[in-house]
Amino acid sequence: MNELQQWWQSLVSRERIIVAVLGVLVVTVLFKMMIWQPIHQDRDNATTAAQNQYELLQWMQQRATLAKQLTKSTVLINSASKQSITQRLNATAAQAKININRFQSSGENNVQVWLENADLFKVFLWLETLQQSQGIVVENIAINETDTPGFVSVRLTLVTE
């Protein structure tokens, strides 16, 4: 410590001012780089993460409402088994607000279905409804993406259990 005081005393007043200003400048830059900037970066990251989580929550709430609507509109297997598979497909697709572009029967219990630009979430809920309330299961499925995010083209083969 004495050596530092002796060195300081040996400096001319101009040199002391320059060293003091440079010292303050170095301390300021270090404070900004090591404390100020990381705090603000973390704050910005937290804000972005919170915004993303909020958007995800909004999306999930919309989908939950849709899921509740679909589960309320399901038909029991016993009453549905009196209808043909194509009638059951058309009825449940209408309830799920899914547009069947084309379907082709391959026997009494087997149908191929084509959907174009369908909401993927609605398709999955519809397929779950078919399985749980109609006794219709997926034998084959091919899903292709479209230009619209969240929408797909689907080709599937459905059979009754």
Side-chain angles (χ1 to χ4, degrees), residues 24 136 143:
V24 169
I136 300 172
I143 301 173

Side-chain angles (χ1 to χ4, degrees), residues 88-115:
R88 291 187 280 170
L89 289 175
N90 284 328
T92 56
Q95 289 172 348
K97 296 184 176 142
I98 293 176
N99 185 26
I100 297 177
N101 293 80
R102 176 179 160 212
F103 61 88
Q104 177 179 348
S105 295
S106 303
E108 287 185 30
N109 300 330
N110 194 340
V111 175
Q112 288 186 332
V113 178
W114 286 264
L115 308 171

Side-chain angles (χ1 to χ4, degrees), residues 17-54:
I17 292 172
I18 291 172
V19 169
V21 168
L22 287 176
V24 169
L25 184 64
V26 167
V27 169
T28 303
V29 168
L30 287 175
F31 175 78
K32 183 177 189 246
M33 290 178 64
M34 297 178 76
I35 297 172
W36 188 263
Q37 191 173 13
I39 288 174
H40 284 280
Q41 184 67 36
D42 290 344
R43 183 200 63 196
D44 293 343
N45 291 346
T47 302
T48 302
Q51 180 64 30
N52 290 342
Q53 291 296 319
Y54 179 73

